[in-house]
């Protein structure tokens, strides 16, 4: 199983746009962002469409088309980004109902749900503590 990188890519894209705008540019193209992320511009456009729907990014069409932030980096948390691109829970139960006659099959759902609920709450608390301004500050420190 591979790790999900959508949150990292979305945070990268928004942070890049924020820095690009601070350097005097109004909009960024998906091609420019994709170069920084080292991915296909289609991947960036799909993520930015979700981020736009969540009110984190805006797009401009026509002449001078591109992407811009809808909010300042300091007003966007990693939780905001996560909720925009990962609408479902982090973990899920079986896709098919386990055997209710089996002691494990009967009890696994409630047991795992309790753990998953705690993990999800902790994840959300931690992501809410970090803004994209914090991410940019740490990125620039590492540069």
């Amino acid at each position: 199983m591979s790790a999900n990188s959508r949150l990292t890519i979305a945070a990268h894209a928004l942070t890049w746009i924020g820095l690009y705008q601070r350097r005097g540019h109004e909009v960024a193209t998906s091609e420019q962002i994709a170069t920084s992320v080292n991915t296909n511009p289609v991947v960036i456009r799909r993520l930015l469409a979700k981020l736009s729907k969540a009110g984190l990014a805006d797009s401009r069409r026509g002449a001078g088309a591109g992407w811009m932030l809808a909010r300042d980096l300091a007003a966007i948390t990693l939780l905001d980004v996560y909720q925009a691109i990962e609408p479902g829970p982090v973990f899920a139960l079986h896709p098919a109902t386990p055997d209710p006659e089996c002691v494990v099959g009967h009890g696994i759902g409630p047991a795992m749900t309790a753990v998953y609920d705690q993990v999800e709450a902790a994840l959300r608390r931690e992501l809410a503590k970090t803004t994209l301004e914090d991410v940019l500050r740490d990125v620039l420190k590492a540069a």
Side-chain angles (χ1 to χ4, degrees):
M1 233 184 264
S2 65
N4 182 336
S5 62
R6 285 187 298 269
L7 176 59
T8 303
I9 293 170
H12 182 147
L14 290 172
T15 303
W16 191 91
I17 294 169
L19 180 61
Y20 192 66
Q21 288 179 306
R22 285 186 188 174
R23 291 181 172 170
H25 304 279
E26 199 169 330
V27 296
T29 68
S30 52
E31 289 78 11
Q32 291 170 313
I33 302 162
T35 297
S36 177
V37 177
N38 194 24
T39 193
N40 191 300
V42 172
V43 172
I44 298 301
R45 283 191 286 276
R46 285 183 184 146
L47 277 175
L48 286 171
K50 290 181 180 184
L51 296 167
S52 179
K53 191 181 263 188
L56 304 178
D58 283 326
S59 64
R60 181 189 299 170
R61 300 191 188 283
W67 295 94
M68 62 203 92
L69 295 179
R71 292 193 260 166
D72 189 67
L73 290 175
I76 302 172
T77 67
L78 287 177
L79 179 60
D80 296 326
V81 179
Y82 175 76
Q83 289 174 322
I85 61 168
E86 301 291 348
V90 176
F91 300 108
L93 298 178
H94 305 82
T97 305
D99 180 359
E101 300 300 317
C102 169
V103 66
V104 175
H106 176 75
I108 193 72
M112 297 305 289
T113 297
V115 173
Y116 292 166
D117 288 349
Q118 291 174 6
V119 169
E120 185 90 23
L123 172 73
R124 290 177 182 282
R125 274 192 313 275
E126 290 303 312
L127 291 176
K129 292 179 184 178
T130 304
T131 68
L132 292 183
E133 185 68 39
D134 299 327
V135 171
L136 179 58
R137 181 194 63 237
D138 292 346
V139 164
L140 294 175
K141 269 191 220 174

